[in-house]
Amino acid sequence: MTARIIDGLSVAAEKRAQCRSLTTALRERHGVVPGLAVVMVGEDPASAVYVRKKIQACADVGIASRKHLFPANASQEAVISQIAEFNADPTVHGILVQLPLPRHFDVKAVLEAIDREKDVDGFHLYNVGGLVIGDTVFPPCTPYGVMLLLDHVGVEISGRNAVVVGASNIVGKPMALMLMQREATVSVCHAKTRDLAQFTILADILVVAAGCPDLIVGPMVKSGAVVVDVGINRLADGRLVGDCHFDSVAKRASMMTPVPGGVGPMTVTMLLVNTINSAQRALTRGLRAQMACTDSSAA
Ligand code: GUN
């Protein structure tokens, strides 16, 4: 078997075209331009690349973005005070704090300073809780993008065995919850899992987000499985690779995402989707408040 390659770039392009139509409608019908504020602390090179991609993608679909860069030694209070300003600014519909933060930060405190109605990364406890009960407002972008890819290529999820390798708050845990919500039987493996292959071999859907090149090789994969590689690893020779050994896994899988060009473009795209959704929600809240005012003055 040779896997069909799931082309994240083309799925992302299609979704971004829809985003463009939505921002045009918001602007022309309501005078609303969705706005995203990005906060970055320090100059981590990988984070700088991700932030640049996010800002370019915003411009591409008609979202106004702004970036606030703090030096690596900035205080947590300064960052939280900037977040409070963005919370109060009606032109900002989404706030994203690029992770990781420097070690002296309490990440949870920073993420919880974000207004939950502007938490387009979906990292606030409120949104994480929503995910647990299957009713989240802003699903975290990477697993949200994976679900869209699986749906796009028509993968049946209900009743299948799904194995998630990696249990991070950003990808692995929300991914497992989303698959569970769609009635998959989900196992979560992580760095301490013994004999990883005994789990991965059972997966009809295998999502790998461990940050470890070549962690998954062909013999660990069930014949015909759908494999989603979320890993992005830069090798010493400069090559960008995922967590799966591409050639051997592609021989076993029925479908597989490549790295680059698989999940990466979807992560950025779902940030755009969440930001536009947030702008639409703000508009609806504003219209409702106006109607309530009109009703009470008429009474
Ligand atoms: N760092 C790595 N992935 C992400 C992400 O999806 N959002 C943020 N804010 N930081 C990240």
Side-chain angles (χ1 to χ4, degrees), residues 138-149 175 178 270 273-274:
F138 300 116
C141 302
T142 300
Y144 193 12
V146 171
M147 295 307 286
L148 196 91
L149 277 182
M175 186 78 252
M178 284 184 197
M270 302 327 278
V273 169
N274 278 347

Side-chain angles (χ1 to χ4, degrees), residues 252-265:
R252 307 270 297 184
S254 60
M255 294 192 221
M256 182 178 181
T257 60
V259 179
V263 176

Side-chain angles (χ1 to χ4, degrees), residues 39 47 50 54 95-100 111 121 123 140-143 170-171 267 271:
V39 174
S47 291
Y50 294 139
K54 289 171 186 178
I95 303 170
L96 177 151
V97 177
Q98 186 63 30
L99 302 177
L111 295 178
D121 247 339
F123 294 165
C141 302
T142 300
I170 294 181
V171 184
T267 296
L271 174 68

Side-chain angles (χ1 to χ4, degrees), residues 153-238:
V153 295
V155 174
E156 194 186 348
I157 296 173
S158 178
R160 314 284 303 278
N161 281 348
V163 175
V164 179
V165 182
S168 70
N169 290 340
I170 294 181
V171 184
K173 287 181 199 165
M175 186 78 252
L177 288 165
M178 284 184 197
L179 289 163
M180 201 189 299
Q181 183 64 26
R182 294 279 297 275
E183 301 174 319
T185 303
V186 183
S187 309
V188 182
C189 303
H190 46 79
K192 298 262 167 71
T193 299
R194 292 184 193 169
D195 192 4
L196 184 59
Q198 69 171 326
F199 292 94
T200 59
I201 198 72
L202 296 177
D204 301 308
I205 300 167
L206 178 61
V207 181
V208 192
C212 183
D214 291 345
L215 178 67
I216 305 294
V217 293
M220 298 168 76
V221 176
K222 181 177 180 179
S223 178
V226 175
V227 179
V228 178
D229 191 346
V230 184
I232 303 180
N233 308 289
R234 178 78 64 189
L235 299 184
D237 64 7

